Amino acid sequence: MIVIDNVPLVVNAKEGDKKQEQLEVVFAATNSPFIQRANSCYVNSHLSLSRSLSRTKKCIHVLQNETASVEFRVDDAVLASDDATTCVIAVVVCQATGVAAIAHFDELSSRSDACLRKFMSQHVGGRYCTYDLYLVGGMMEETLVGLRTSANLLSKFNQSPGKFNLKLCCVYDQNTCTQTGCPLVRSFGFDPLTNTTYHVSTSVLNLGIASIRRNISQHNLEALAQHAQSASASASAEDGGAERRVSSSEPTKEEQREEKEEKVKKKEEREGHGVSASEFAESKGKRSASGSRRTKLGSSAFNTEQKRGPGLERRLANYWLTESEDELVDLVNVYDTWDQKFVLTGRIHTVSRFLMVNYAFLLTLSDEDLLKKTSTTPQYEGENFCFDVRLALKFILEHAQEPSFTLYTQSYTWDPMSSIWMEVDKYTGKKMKHLQLQEEFNSIQLDPLGHHGGDHGALGKMPQVDIPGSSWSYTSLVDLEKEHLEAAGA
């Protein structure tokens, strides 16, 4: 049951019409004055993770279809997620048990009962506890994916026997700019110890610069181009006026007025989006050599890789490896609450030939075409979307040399001194040690009496035996014994 300001949420819908009920629950939640005030405060907040927190503060960042939970009274950490346009970021806090959980839901995971149960199972207090609920994302757009995602979550929480105090519900029309259609916020950070909310995206007006550029209509681009031409014309006129001022002692009133207007135009360009009109027209859709166009955010405590947690390439690739029609959607838990470690669970992945060709084809596309092929809202994605897609696809193509490949479990712990996640368990390292011992054992040549020796013929060489118990054996001991007997008989 959802409660807003100590009042149960009332949904006006016909009985038996589940689809209409799901839509009405979104309208009922967002039309509440209490929720509208909370949404306005969060949208206009200037608190951000990179500028408001110290370097030593642990940040547990989840990606799409990932979840994590912390026992915040003993593990001082901030929960965060980013890049939610039609997705919804959900945070549930249980003050009784001292556990806070975060998840990044898309449309498929939001309508899955198994994913919601997995998300709520991290709260050990039981299903009848009282929780604080925060929802951010699910923008309003033509496909209505954001509306359905928000409706799925709100309806499931409202039908739950637990009591959910809805503190923030910045979804649908509450999270959409009426002028540009862009999402007002696409990220959410939460400190459960102080109940403080933060922005993760720190671009202008909480929007990606690339999103703003892609959302500008062709009419506006033409107007900007005309403005650039007029600016260049006025600049040439100013140069001519400067030459005339050399010959004359004082500038005319018309020259003074033109110079004043030019200064005002330059000031407006600087205070706009940080680039001029000509730069807008030339840089639309372009990326830097590294694959992403970064904005200058000043001194940041979180760099691009570490602010979203360790193993970014692998986690981004996991979404592309698991999101297929023949496989059920899953909500991956990436944080061990009790050991306080960031854990990437190992798994065997199978990639078909068709997907390999498809992923290789996607890597050849431009940013504009890649957005159309891979995003539900290509015109509203952040500036790092194409970079993340290419990073994930390259990781898959590099590891999928065979139809199936294995990614081993990796664990990371937070080091406050260096402000990075450090790997503590490396299972691939254990495998390398076994192979190294096997090679050293195979390089030893023994004679029939067990003494070290040189080449004594076929009898002087013992068969190459794999390490007992090793899971990387290539031949069995029986086959090696047969080969040894055949060599002795010859």
Side-chain angles (χ1 to χ4, degrees):
M1 179 179 62
I2 293 179
V3 178
I4 301 176
D5 198 16
N6 297 324
V7 178
L9 182 64
V10 179
V11 180
N12 297 323
K14 296 181 180 180
E15 295 182 358
D17 192 351
K18 294 184 178 180
K19 185 176 181 181
Q20 184 65 23
E21 184 179 356
Q22 287 183 344
L23 298 179
E24 288 295 334
V25 72
V26 177
F27 301 142
T30 54
N31 289 335
S32 170
F34 175 83
I35 292 299
Q36 291 179 357
R37 289 194 299 269
N39 294 340
S40 178
C41 291
Y42 177 66
V43 170
N44 298 322
S45 173
H46 297 286
L47 296 178
S48 64
L49 289 181
S50 59
R51 297 173 181 174
S52 304
L53 296 180
S54 62
R55 290 175 53 89
T56 59
K57 187 75 170 183
K58 182 195 298 184
C59 179
I60 302 173
H61 195 289
V62 298
L63 304 178
Q64 185 171 343
N65 286 344
E66 287 185 348
T67 181
S69 63
V70 294
E71 192 176 359
F72 55 85
R73 292 192 178 96
V74 295
D75 188 6
D76 188 13
V78 175
L79 303 174
S81 188
D82 198 357
D83 298 328
T85 51
T86 57
C87 296
V88 174
I89 304 169
V91 172
V92 174
V93 183
C94 180
Q95 298 295 341
T97 59
V99 176
I102 186 173
H104 189 129
F105 290 94
D106 59 12
E107 185 181 6
L108 295 178
S109 56
S110 66
R111 68 181 182 214
S112 171
D113 293 334
C115 290
L116 187 65
R117 285 196 297 268
K118 187 174 183 179
F119 173 54
M120 292 304 300
S121 65
Q122 302 180 77
H123 296 273
V124 296
R127 54 188 299 186
Y128 297 101
C129 284
T130 301
Y131 308 95
D132 293 338
L133 177 61
Y134 302 81
L135 298 176
V136 173
M139 62 172 291
M140 181 173 61
E141 35 79 39
E142 297 178 355
T143 62
L144 300 180
V145 176
L147 176 61
R148 292 193 296 268
T149 305
S150 306
N152 291 335
L153 291 175
L154 284 171
S155 61
K156 290 182 183 299
F157 283 122
N158 196 34
Q159 296 170 4
S160 174
K163 181 181 178 182
F164 294 89
N165 293 315
L166 190 59
K167 301 292 187 180
L168 183 67
C169 188
C170 191
V171 299
Y172 198 53
D173 58 337
Q174 294 288 306
N175 188 28
T176 307
C177 180
T178 56
Q179 297 179 352
T180 63
C182 294
L184 297 177
V185 290
R186 63 176 71 244
S187 62
F188 186 65
F190 184 74
D191 189 346
L193 195 61
T194 60
N195 289 333
T196 307
T197 58
Y198 299 92
H199 293 286
V200 181
S201 299
T202 54
S203 301
V204 180
L205 298 178
N206 297 321
L207 301 174
I209 297 299
S211 176
I212 296 176
R213 289 174 182 163
R214 286 193 296 268
N215 195 51
I216 294 180
S217 63
Q218 186 65 28
H219 175 73
N220 291 337
L221 288 176
E222 293 175 357
L224 287 173
Q226 293 177 0
H227 178 70
Q229 293 178 359
S230 62
S232 60
S234 61
S236 60
E238 182 181 359
D239 294 338
E243 293 178 358
R244 289 192 300 270
R245 284 195 296 270
V246 173
S247 58
S248 61
S249 59
E250 294 182 358
T252 63
K253 293 182 178 180
E254 184 178 2
E255 293 174 350
Q256 291 178 353
R257 182 175 57 82
E258 291 177 354
E259 184 178 359
K260 186 177 181 180
E261 290 178 353
E262 180 63 19
K263 290 181 179 180
V264 172
K265 290 178 182 179
K266 290 182 179 180
K267 184 178 180 180
E268 291 177 351
E269 289 177 352
R270 289 195 302 268
E271 294 178 352
H273 298 304
V275 291
S276 63
S278 59
E279 291 174 343
F280 250 115
E282 294 176 358
S283 63
K284 183 176 182 294
K286 292 186 178 180
R287 295 277 173 173
S288 61
S290 62
S292 63
R293 186 177 181 88
R294 304 293 177 188
T295 56
K296 296 181 180 180
L297 302 176
S299 59
S300 176
F302 304 95
N303 55 44
T304 305
E305 298 293 334
Q306 286 294 329
K307 80 169 187 177
R308 291 192 283 177
L312 181 60
E313 296 180 357
R314 174 174 173 175
R315 293 162 59 201
L316 291 171
N318 181 72
Y319 172 78
W320 288 86
L321 290 169
T322 56
E323 289 295 313
S324 59
E325 296 181 357
D326 57 345
E327 194 167 354
L328 296 176
V329 64
D330 186 23
L331 200 63
V332 182
N333 188 3
V334 296
Y335 190 74
D336 191 331
T337 307
W338 315 117
D339 291 338
Q340 301 180 11
K341 294 179 181 179
F342 209 103
V343 180
L344 305 181
T345 307
R347 184 177 176 181
I348 299 177
H349 295 280
T350 301
V351 184
S352 63
R353 180 68 177 173
F354 168 75
L355 288 179
M356 292 284 290
V357 175
N358 186 30
Y359 292 166
F361 168 72
L362 291 177
L363 289 175
T364 63
L365 299 178
S366 61
D367 285 359
E368 183 178 359
D369 293 335
L370 186 63
L371 283 165
K372 293 179 180 179
K373 294 285 187 181
T374 59
S375 174
T376 57
T377 54
Q379 67 272 31
Y380 303 123
E381 295 294 347
E383 57 266 29
N384 62 328
F385 181 84
C386 293
F387 175 78
D388 290 346
V389 172
R390 292 191 177 98
L391 194 66
L393 298 183
K394 287 180 181 179
F395 180 88
I396 295 174
L397 294 178
E398 289 175 357
H399 287 77
Q401 302 297 330
E402 297 180 358
S404 62
F405 63 97
T406 303
L407 296 178
Y408 297 92
T409 301
Q410 292 177 288
S411 300
Y412 301 83
T413 185
W414 177 253
D415 183 12
M417 298 299 296
S418 55
S419 300
I420 60 173
W421 291 94
M422 299 189 66
E423 188 171 0
V424 292
D425 295 327
K426 193 171 183 179
Y427 284 79
T428 53
K430 291 184 178 181
K431 177 182 175 182
M432 293 300 294
K433 290 181 181 179
H434 281 290
L435 293 177
Q436 184 178 2
L437 291 174
Q438 179 180 339
E439 292 177 356
E440 293 177 357
F441 182 82
N442 294 339
S443 63
I444 301 176
Q445 297 179 354
L446 302 176
D447 58 20
L449 298 178
H451 301 291
H452 293 277
D455 189 3
H456 297 285
L459 294 177
K461 293 183 178 179
M462 296 296 290
Q464 296 182 355
V465 181
D466 294 340
I467 300 175
S470 173
S471 59
W472 301 282
S473 300
Y474 298 99
T475 54
S476 65
L477 295 176
V478 178
D479 295 335
L480 289 172
E481 186 176 0
K482 288 181 180 179
E483 293 177 1
H484 176 63
L485 293 176
E486 289 175 0

